[in-house]
Amino acid sequence: RTLDRYGAKATNRWFQTFRLVGYVSSQAAQDLAWRPADTSFGHATHLDAYSVPGTVEDGRPFRLLLRWRALGAADADYSTFVHLVPRGGRAVAQRDKTLTRMGAGAKTWRTGDEVLDASDVFVPIGTPPGEYELLAGLYRPDNGERLKREDGSDVLSLGPVRVVRAREQLTP
């Protein structure tokens, strides 16, 4: 569970009845610029700001920071999702994880509580270089239902991210 929470899954292979899962640790958090998000998901959770690198390398994880704030009592615990998507395509990388504040889920938060959520997203080796869009949102893990924003959508674009070939390729 610790690896799922703090690492980025690089490989996931089955060998008959045995499963081999490889993780890579995130790079040190960089001083990234915070961008305002100013949007609510559902009635109880507000995304104030986020920080994401403009360029990422294939075969490496990148760190996304999301700054959340509790608006009121939540009816369930939530999970975040992050998708890296090429224009008009399907996600090439994603990360889902439980949104917690000091280990406690959203149902325990009080109005005004702030939550800094760090997600390490692994960009698979061989991801074609180019412009991608980073999408994020919240959902209920008990039923998969995504929380809606004020405009009725269930996802927020965090803007473009450029994928480039890594100078040195890792082997899976």
Side-chain angles (χ1 to χ4, degrees):
R1 293 180 188 221
T2 300
L3 288 173
D4 277 333
R5 182 172 285 169
Y6 299 109
K9 193 180 293 186
T11 60
N12 185 6
R13 294 188 181 162
W14 283 93
F15 297 93
Q16 295 177 1
T17 59
F18 298 96
R19 183 178 181 192
L20 176 65
V21 180
Y23 289 83
V24 293
S25 63
S26 66
Q27 297 172 340
Q30 303 167 352
D31 290 327
L32 301 173
W34 285 97
R35 301 178 193 173
D38 195 27
T39 191
S40 295
F41 286 85
H43 66 280
T45 315
H46 189 81
L47 180 61
D48 288 326
Y50 61 93
S51 180
V52 61
T55 302
V56 299
E57 296 180 333
D58 74 323
R60 305 271 194 279
F62 68 89
R63 176 154 285 185
L64 166 68
L65 300 173
L66 302 169
R67 192 168 39 210
W68 299 93
R69 183 170 33 91
L71 297 176
D75 57 352
D77 289 330
Y78 304 129
S79 288
T80 60
F81 68 87
V82 178
H83 297 166
L84 185 64
V85 182
R87 296 191 194 280
R90 299 182 63 149
V92 297
Q94 72 179 56
R95 174 71 187 219
D96 291 49
K97 68 180 247 196
T98 304
L99 182 61
T100 62
R101 179 179 185 269
M102 296 186 294
K107 287 195 299 190
T108 66
W109 301 349
R110 295 187 199 135
T111 301
D113 281 350
E114 292 184 358
V115 179
L116 179 61
D117 179 47
S119 292
D120 294 316
V121 181
F122 183 78
V123 180
I125 294 171
T127 299
E131 287 285 318
Y132 291 76
E133 184 177 16
L134 194 61
L135 305 173
L138 287 177
Y139 67 94
R140 291 180 53 147
D142 59 341
N143 62 16
E145 179 184 350
R146 288 184 176 186
L147 277 66
K148 301 282 188 210
R149 295 177 46 217
E150 301 97 342
D151 65 4
S153 67
D154 60 9
V155 66
L156 175 67
S157 173
L158 303 180
V161 173
R162 176 169 289 286
V163 173
V164 298
R165 296 286 290 164
R167 293 178 296 280
E168 180 181 322
Q169 290 293 311
L170 302 174
T171 56

